[in-house]
Amino acid sequence: MSIAAHTMCQNKTNPKISVLGLGGGGLCSFIHKFLPNATVTGVDIDEEMLKIGTEWFAFKQDDKLKAVIQDGLEYLTELEK
């Protein structure tokens, strides 16, 4: 994460961050740890990725860290509306 992105999010009361491509959940977990006031949503089209992240990489969802199983483009289109 760049210093600029970190600074921008730190100055907001509740930034919302979307990560397209959940993978094992490592990036989402990292952002969640270092920006605890941010709401982080990991989006992946493959439900198996969430299962792998949870079982093998200790990805844990909570009120500020969520996973969505959906096509990333569709997710962004819905956010825009």
Side-chain angles (χ1 to χ4, degrees), residues 59-78:
F59 177 75
K60 293 185 175 127
Q61 298 184 70
D62 61 28
D63 61 325
K64 295 277 193 175
L65 178 59
K66 299 187 183 337
V68 173
I69 305 303
Q70 185 177 7
D71 180 86
L73 185 56
E74 289 177 11
Y75 177 81
L76 291 177
T77 302
E78 288 178 12

Side-chain angles (χ1 to χ4, degrees), residues 13-29:
T13 55
N14 187 22
K16 292 178 175 52
I17 301 168
S18 298
V19 176
L20 304 182
L22 178 65
L27 178 59
C28 292
S29 297

Side-chain angles (χ1 to χ4, degrees), residues 1 17 19 21-36 38-43 50 52-54 56-62 64-67:
M1 177 176 356
I17 301 168
V19 176
L22 178 65
L27 178 59
C28 292
S29 297
F30 175 83
I31 294 169
H32 179 57
K33 179 177 180 178
F34 287 99
L35 298 172
T39 300
V40 182
T41 304
V43 183
L50 176 57
I52 290 168
T54 303
W56 293 92
F57 296 100
F59 177 75
K60 293 185 175 127
Q61 298 184 70
D62 61 28
K64 295 277 193 175
L65 178 59
K66 299 187 183 337

